[in-house]
Amino acid sequence: LNAITRSGSNQHKGSVFYFTRDQSLVGDGPEALGEPGEFSQDSYGFRLGGPISKDNIFYFVNAEIKSQDQPTGWSLSGNSGQCYGNCDPVISAAATRFENWLAQYNYNPGSRDENVRDIPADKAFLRFDFNVNDGNQLTLRWNYVDAGNVVNRPNSFTYEYPGEAYDFSSETNSLVGQLNSVFGTNMFNEFRLTFQQIRDRRPPVSIFPWVELEDVAPEAGYFGEFEAGSEPFSTRNALDQDIIELTNDFTWIKGNHTMTFGTSNQFFEFDNLFIQNAFGSYEFSNLEQLESGVAREWEYTVVNPGQPETQQFGINQIGLYAGDVWAVKPNLTLTYGVRLDVPLFPDSPSFNPEARAIYGVDTSEMPDGEQLWQPRIGFNWDLKGDGRQQLRGGVGIFAGRTPYVWISNQYARTGIEQT
């Protein structure tokens, strides 16, 4: 995402801010609904900008620190939030039996009170602008985000104990260099080089096999679920991404045509750790089967001997495009163009001969070099030429960037790396 941001000027300017909010600032609303759960949100930061060399070099810096405690909205105790199962004594008794069963393995799934989640976010931004000469302006900027989110999502059907939560943290460093150049009176160019480093982590808050109990109280007509232990997709989950992006847009204004020719290319390096059910996961149909040790379903994933825990691979995304904005008449504009995207996969997944023998599928094959052509055309017609009534329309093929974390499963799930 390329964004226009504030920059420094020939005057030193700055500001500071502080924002706070908690349950004491929540009004009753049209109907008194009782006391809200405890929560808090605090944000504070500053910005400062000015000249390093008047008319030539400028700086701008911005920083923000945010802390937030947010309740899930549900509890088993009824002390705060909405009480799961309306605090039916049968539900409470089922929860006691479920917790006692977990206790024999020395595991405490967490309090029955409402869970309060921690959602921090720290952000920093630094920018320098250089007026190189009359026709060239250079911008260098750095973005930093360090954010987290403890994810715990109980609801009216499924009660997730606090111990099932996972702590999703993401740290991003982004460096951008951009050169804007003007050639004469009818041509200009924008060149941008970006390096991004993203580090995502998703550890569970407790280490224990995931346990799901279905039909917690069928005798009371309640067929909801209890869930405890390590969330099955977060047992071993981390993703490192290094991304280099090179984009160049050249615009040429000739007569009543504004033509743009460009290229946008991303070069990715991934290091992905994803071992779901690494501690095992058990699903029980009811309390009787739970206490008898008869699971309806059991899953466990292991890394095969000699295989890496993480999958390291690269992907290159090449994009070329051309377009024209044609002012056919003072009140009629046509916009048309075409874009070509080509993904390249320099690294191949493992080849599994059993998959070839049984299903006729080559697990090492990737859609390398597939061409995605995207033509499009649109118009804007000012019906009376006064800007009061306009008719707009268009048609085309538009595609976003592939979420390559999904593609990572092609490298980790061939049947060679994990069982």
Side-chain angles (χ1 to χ4, degrees), residues 98 102 135 165 226 277 299 343 405:
F98 182 60
L102 295 170
F226 289 154
N277 300 306
E299 292 184 72
V405 67

Side-chain angles (χ1 to χ4, degrees), residues 84-86 88 90-91 156-157 215-225:
Y84 181 77
N86 296 318
D88 190 315
V90 177
I91 301 293
S156 60
F157 184 78
D215 297 351
V216 297
E219 67 275 17
Y222 203 81
F223 298 93
E225 301 174 346

Side-chain angles (χ1 to χ4, degrees), residues 168-173 195-203 236-244 267-274 309-315 347 401 403-408 411:
F168 190 103
S169 63
S170 182
E171 185 178 38
T172 300
N173 277 283
F195 174 71
Q196 247 187 340
Q197 187 182 71
I198 306 171
R199 299 293 182 260
D200 293 332
R201 299 292 181 267
R202 185 172 159 169
R236 302 294 303 281
N237 194 328
L239 175 63
D240 293 350
Q241 302 177 66
D242 291 335
I243 308 167
I244 296 175
F267 306 95
F268 303 87
E269 289 293 334
F270 296 100
D271 189 355
N272 189 43
L273 168 66
F274 181 51
E309 282 196 334
T310 68
Q311 278 64 54
Q312 299 178 359
F313 58 96
I315 297 174
D347 301 305
R401 194 174 76 189
Y404 285 115
V405 67
W406 293 353
I407 302 294
S408 69
Y411 291 87

Side-chain angles (χ1 to χ4, degrees), residues 191-194 244-248 263-267 319:
F191 172 79
R192 188 168 66 251
L193 180 63
T194 301
I244 296 175
E245 178 181 338
L246 190 153
T247 297
N248 192 84
T263 179
S264 183
N265 312 280
Q266 292 91 33
F267 306 95

Side-chain angles (χ1 to χ4, degrees), residues 148-191:
N149 185 10
V150 174
V151 180
N152 185 217
R153 296 171 290 203
N155 55 63
S156 60
F157 184 78
T158 301
Y159 187 79
E160 296 183 358
Y161 275 83
E164 198 205 9
Y166 59 88
D167 187 4
F168 190 103
S169 63
S170 182
E171 185 178 38
T172 300
N173 277 283
S174 179
L175 293 169
V176 181
Q178 181 171 321
L179 179 64
N180 294 334
S181 304
V182 177
F183 307 99
T185 60
N186 63 342
M187 291 182 288
F188 56 91
N189 191 81
E190 179 182 317
F191 172 79

Side-chain angles (χ1 to χ4, degrees), residues 44-253:
Y44 54 92
F46 75 94
R47 66 173 173 87
L48 183 64
I52 297 176
S53 174
K54 190 175 181 180
D55 294 332
N56 290 317
I57 306 175
F58 310 93
Y59 75 93
F60 179 78
V61 60
N62 186 92
E64 177 182 346
I65 295 176
K66 174 186 173 184
S67 62
Q68 181 175 345
D69 294 326
Q70 181 170 316
T72 62
W74 292 88
S75 71
L76 270 174
S77 65
N79 291 336
S80 62
Q82 189 165 345
C83 191
Y84 181 77
N86 296 318
C87 286
D88 190 315
V90 177
I91 301 293
S92 181
T96 298
R97 292 171 64 182
F98 182 60
E99 294 165 9
N100 287 341
W101 184 85
L102 295 170
Q104 67 180 321
Y105 300 102
N106 297 318
Y107 179 69
N108 181 353
S111 170
R112 293 190 184 187
D113 293 339
E114 184 178 24
N115 190 19
V116 178
R117 304 183 298 114
D118 184 26
I119 310 175
D122 299 334
K123 291 167 278 219
F125 176 73
L126 179 63
R127 170 172 171 157
F128 296 98
D129 291 279
F130 303 83
N131 291 327
V132 181
N133 52 41
D134 289 343
N136 294 278
Q137 183 187 55
L138 176 66
T139 298
L140 301 176
R141 66 178 187 263
W142 168 67
N143 282 77
Y144 174 76
V145 178
D146 185 10
N149 185 10
V150 174
V151 180
N152 185 217
R153 296 171 290 203
N155 55 63
S156 60
F157 184 78
T158 301
Y159 187 79
E160 296 183 358
Y161 275 83
E164 198 205 9
Y166 59 88
D167 187 4
F168 190 103
S169 63
S170 182
E171 185 178 38
T172 300
N173 277 283
S174 179
L175 293 169
V176 181
Q178 181 171 321
L179 179 64
N180 294 334
S181 304
V182 177
F183 307 99
T185 60
N186 63 342
M187 291 182 288
F188 56 91
N189 191 81
E190 179 182 317
F191 172 79
R192 188 168 66 251
L193 180 63
T194 301
F195 174 71
Q196 247 187 340
Q197 187 182 71
I198 306 171
R199 299 293 182 260
D200 293 332
R201 299 292 181 267
R202 185 172 159 169
V205 299
S206 66
I207 306 299
F208 194 75
W210 183 70
V211 181
E212 179 186 69
L213 172 62
E214 302 170 348
D215 297 351
V216 297
E219 67 275 17
Y222 203 81
F223 298 93
E225 301 174 346
F226 289 154
E227 293 181 0
S230 301
E231 197 267 344
F233 299 101
S234 307
T235 50
R236 302 294 303 281
N237 194 328
L239 175 63
D240 293 350
Q241 302 177 66
D242 291 335
I243 308 167
I244 296 175
E245 178 181 338
L246 190 153
T247 297
N248 192 84
D249 293 332
F250 176 76
T251 301
W252 180 22
I253 302 172

